[in-house]
Amino acid sequence: MNLVKQRTELQKKVSRREAIKGLAVLTAGLGVGCTPLRIAMHLYPDEFDNQPERVDRVLRAFVATVIPGAPLDDPNLIRAFYDSYYPLAKCRNFFAADLCQRALNRFGTDDFERLAPEQRTGVIESGLSQSGTIGRVYTGAIFLTQIAFYAGIYDADRGCPLIGFDGRYRFRSVAQTSYPNPGSFLARARTADGNPS
């Protein structure tokens, strides 16, 4: 009986709305300080979930910054960010939002994709310098982008012309894979018949 009375008094002191408000404030506080929670709870602007074309532009600008000379119109340029095989696909929108927020903090505009290459480099360096999950996300994004681009993982036949990688092995003619006179590279025999004894 005593317990029921205490519960009723507690309910009178804290309304349901106030309890939910308190939990929301607590969750937001945790979300600001804990990056995985921020990603899982989608604590970033909704426009990055609702405008995939903006996310694409931001990610293409990121790749163009990390790999100077990368063709922006390549359909495979940002494919690794969408590939569910890699963990980065789960935080792709958060990553784009973080790039834009860092651009806003440093340069007064959240259009990361419109910044000069040097400015974009500064934004990326600020993300890399963070400890914890943010730094790992930035490091992983750079490595994944470079591996996907330079190794041609989505277009092995084409390879990567930027570094002279021809792509998947294809047999070339004997003239291209051997020397014209291979005997000239052999050592001379010590005896007339080639027998060492």
Side-chain angles (χ1 to χ4, degrees):
M1 193 70 145
N2 228 354
L3 221 50
V4 174
K5 190 175 181 182
Q6 287 176 350
R7 183 175 174 217
T8 309
E9 286 178 19
L10 184 62
Q11 284 177 341
K12 288 179 183 175
K13 291 180 183 176
V14 180
S15 70
R16 181 174 180 264
R17 181 171 294 203
E18 288 173 346
I20 291 174
K21 185 178 177 182
L23 285 173
V25 169
L26 176 65
T27 303
L30 285 173
V32 170
C34 183
T35 304
L37 190 58
R38 285 172 52 198
I39 295 169
M41 296 186 66
H42 299 285
L43 295 177
Y44 52 86
D46 287 338
E47 68 181 280
F48 292 95
D49 288 332
N50 301 332
Q51 297 177 357
E53 63 281 345
R54 175 147 192 229
V55 172
D56 286 358
R57 287 193 311 268
V58 169
L59 294 176
R60 285 182 183 279
F62 170 78
V63 173
T65 306
V66 173
I67 304 173
L72 289 176
D73 59 344
D74 184 350
N76 292 322
L77 192 65
I78 58 173
R79 187 170 168 187
F81 286 101
Y82 290 88
D83 193 336
S84 61
Y85 181 76
Y86 302 109
L88 207 54
K90 294 175 186 168
C91 61
R92 167 188 65 240
N93 294 345
F94 168 80
F95 180 61
D98 193 69
L99 285 167
C100 292
Q101 183 61 49
R102 288 178 189 282
L104 179 64
N105 294 345
R106 287 180 68 108
F107 302 107
T109 178
D110 68 346
D111 291 329
F112 173 79
E113 65 274 19
R114 293 193 178 138
L115 295 176
E118 309 82 43
Q119 293 174 318
R120 291 195 309 253
T121 301
V123 169
I124 294 168
E125 286 174 349
S126 76
L128 278 171
S129 68
Q130 297 293 306
S131 61
T133 305
I134 293 285
R136 288 195 302 271
V137 166
Y138 274 79
T139 302
I142 290 171
F143 282 139
L144 180 63
T145 298
Q146 290 175 338
I147 290 168
F149 184 81
Y150 290 128
I153 62 174
Y154 294 111
D155 194 359
D157 289 331
R158 187 189 70 169
C160 181
L162 197 61
I163 60 171
F165 173 53
D166 293 335
R168 182 178 300 157
Y169 176 77
R170 295 175 209 79
F171 179 75
R172 286 144 176 88
S173 68
V174 174
Q176 288 179 325
T177 58
S178 66
Y179 294 100
N181 184 7
S184 66
F185 296 101
L186 298 175
R188 294 182 191 230
R190 293 187 178 205
T191 62
D193 64 355
N195 191 345
S197 57

